[in-house]
Amino acid sequence: MEKQTEFVETYGNLIGGEWIKGDDQFVVDNKFSHQPYAYVSKADEDLVKKAIANAVETYKTVKLTVTERYSILMKAAELFGKRKEEIALVICREAGKTITDARAEVDRGIQTFITSAEEAKRIAGQGLPIHGQPGNEQKMAFSIRVPVGVVCAITPFNFPFNLTAHKVGPALAAGNTIVLKPAEKTPVSAIKMAEVLQEAGLPNGFLNIVNGYGHEVGPVLLKDERIAMYTFTGSPKVGRMIKSETGIRKVTLELGNNSPNIIHKDVKDLKRAVDLCVSRGYSNSGQACISVQRIYVHQDIYEQVLQEAKLYAESIVLGNPEDDATNIGPMISIKEAERVENWIQEAVEAGAEVVTGGTREGSLFKPTVLTAVTEEMKVMCEELFAPVINIVPFENIEEVLATVNNSRFGLQVGLFTSDLHLAMRAAHELEFGGVNINDVSTFRADILPYGGVKDSGVGKEGPRSAIEEMTEEKVITIHI
């Protein structure tokens, strides 16, 4: 490990309300300067087990009422607002997200906590009409929803604050305790979140944080049967491994996409459709699971869309994410930028054309438009996770709907059309967890259910849906 430099803070692991620092640390770098931003203590196997044991003990011995959960989450939301600029700067530096987008992420996280607090008050079972079955006339039945127990949350680097909020907020609202494993590339955002929750009055033990590399910490977490549920956002490869290792325990997996968007010739506001598709393909350097990747455009408007996309891409300011004038900052690492460069080169060798972009400087990747691509190319069939969009002409809407469905992914899709019948047909036929009509695949309202099908995952997020996943329905019968 590099020698620690002056003014670089060292963070620990949170166990039972205490921040524990150790000598074994890893570096979190500033994604733009590539200089050390923070040092974070690794959690070894004993410390991970200690975190789980503490979460189990806390769950068994300390109970928060619904109103207490509500008050803590609302107080945390208020404190996040007061520390917005500080947290946004953390996101900007450790994730490489522009300061403008980082501020927006904090705002979204605040709303996620507020919605989680509100949903805590709405957790309820249902009355069950048992008397409708012969022989049960003297019985009544109802159900209640109870917490699952210890929730293990494993979060990604691309939205280190809001996607962590989507796991922590609902888990606390439901009355669970949490063992959180943040992405090793961006752990400080989660650490700041925990500090605020402590300040808001969250009792010790309700949130424990263990830091380290996924291949070291992950197996310890997955093998411990004291954990009742796992909620994970990340790659299909890791998601598949989590599902196979956790047996019959509950899992929620959000695993990505190669997001398709269709612009039909009858779209009323073509400029809006193009601006949305292109801009949402490049925001956060394309590092979002629902980032626009594939754009299918009717051939009657294809050339116009292609030229407008090129102009838009070339107008983007790429650079230091702390500068308010910057539109997109660096990718999460040079290694990832190199991967994307290689994928594009493979596509070009197979016949694809680079309209603009396609080059990088370190981890800064120039916004790219590709054409003449085929469905078999990695830039089309895999999750690209980069500021690259593919624009493909089509003639027959039947064929493009079938093409869009012919993917192992199914998270979200966008369709731009003024044909109500086509819109309703697409809503039913497109094999995705979310179908956005006259909006892009990236549109997500944090209060709505969110999740995919096929290799895009299982289960739903969004505070209300997540709380349902993080509780069990218990049926009560009474002989009267």
Side-chain angles (χ1 to χ4, degrees), residues 4 12 18 28 41 97 150 161 188 206 274 284 290 332 340 353 384 419 422 435-436 438 467:
Q4 182 170 337
E18 180 184 355
V28 178
S41 297
K97 185 170 293 190
V150 178
F161 188 78
V188 183
F206 272 85
V274 176
N284 196 29
I290 46 179
I332 196 65
V340 176
E353 298 176 9
L384 192 50
D419 185 338
L422 174 60
V435 179
N436 294 330
N438 289 324
I467 287 172

Side-chain angles (χ1 to χ4, degrees), residues 38-84:
Y39 291 87
V40 180
S41 297
K42 284 186 180 181
D44 60 15
E45 182 174 353
D46 288 342
L47 199 60
V48 173
K49 289 181 176 179
K50 185 176 180 181
I52 297 169
N54 183 266
V56 171
E57 182 64 18
T58 301
Y59 177 73
K60 290 180 177 179
T61 60
V62 183
K63 302 297 179 184
L64 292 173
T65 66
V66 167
T67 53
E68 287 172 332
R69 297 176 218 161
Y70 171 86
S71 297
I72 290 167
L73 292 172
M74 289 298 289
K75 180 63 176 178
E78 177 189 345
L79 294 172
F80 290 136
K82 292 179 178 179
R83 296 176 62 176
K84 174 179 173 179

Side-chain angles (χ1 to χ4, degrees), residues 129-148:
I130 189 174
H131 52 272
Q133 184 180 47
N136 290 324
E137 293 82 0
Q138 298 302 313
K139 295 184 182 295
M140 64 179 295
F142 61 93
S143 69
I144 59 175
R145 299 205 73 90
V146 297
V148 296

Side-chain angles (χ1 to χ4, degrees), residues 335-365:
K335 180 181 178 182
E336 282 299 297
E338 290 173 340
R339 171 189 61 81
V340 176
E341 190 176 43
N342 290 334
W343 284 19
I344 291 174
Q345 186 58 39
E346 285 181 22
V348 169
E349 290 171 358
E353 298 176 9
V354 178
V355 176
T356 187
T359 59
R360 67 176 182 88
E361 182 179 341
S363 58
L364 291 170
F365 207 98

